[in-house]
Amino acid sequence: MSLIVVAEALAKTGQEDRLRTALEAMIAPSLDEPGCLTYRPYVDPHEPARMVLVEEWTGPQALAEHFTTPHFHHLRQVLDTILAEPLIIRKLVPAPAG
C-alpha cells in the first residue's frame, strides 16, 4: 500500500525564494530513489511564503530510507534556518473502499 506524505512549510519573511529553491532541488534526487512515486512542491497563491510538498512512496520503509539520504539531511539543515514555524508532516494512506 502506498504512503502519501503532505508536508507544509512556512518561510520566514524574505526566505520565500530560498524555500522554493530548496524544495525544487529535492525533486530529482528523491524521484531517483526506488520507493519514490511522486515528489511535487506547490505554493499557496494567497500566501507565497507557504509551500506544500506532496509525496507518494511505495510504503513506510521507502520513506524511512528517504529520511537517511544526504539530500534530505541537507534539506533539514536549510529548513532549520529559513522556516518561520516547524514543518508540519502528515502521513496518509488510501481510505478503505466503502
Side-chain angles (χ1 to χ4, degrees), residues 3-82:
L3 177 67
I4 306 297
V5 176
V6 179
E8 187 173 337
L10 178 65
K12 292 177 184 174
T13 302
Q15 297 295 319
E16 299 86 355
D17 286 341
R18 192 160 176 216
L19 175 59
R20 181 185 46 77
T21 301
L23 294 180
E24 288 175 352
M26 290 289 293
I27 297 170
S30 297
L31 288 172
D32 284 344
E33 295 177 48
C36 185
L37 304 172
T38 305
Y39 201 93
R40 186 167 205 172
Y42 296 88
V43 65
D44 183 332
H46 303 290
E47 189 178 6
R50 187 169 305 279
M51 293 193 70
V52 174
L53 185 62
V54 178
E55 311 167 25
E56 184 175 6
W57 298 89
T58 55
Q61 183 60 36
L63 180 62
E65 290 172 13
H66 171 66
F67 290 152
T68 69
T69 63
H71 52 274
F72 181 81
H73 285 286
H74 175 73
L75 176 67
R76 286 301 310 178
Q77 290 177 338
V78 171
L79 294 181
D80 286 346
T81 65
I82 66 171

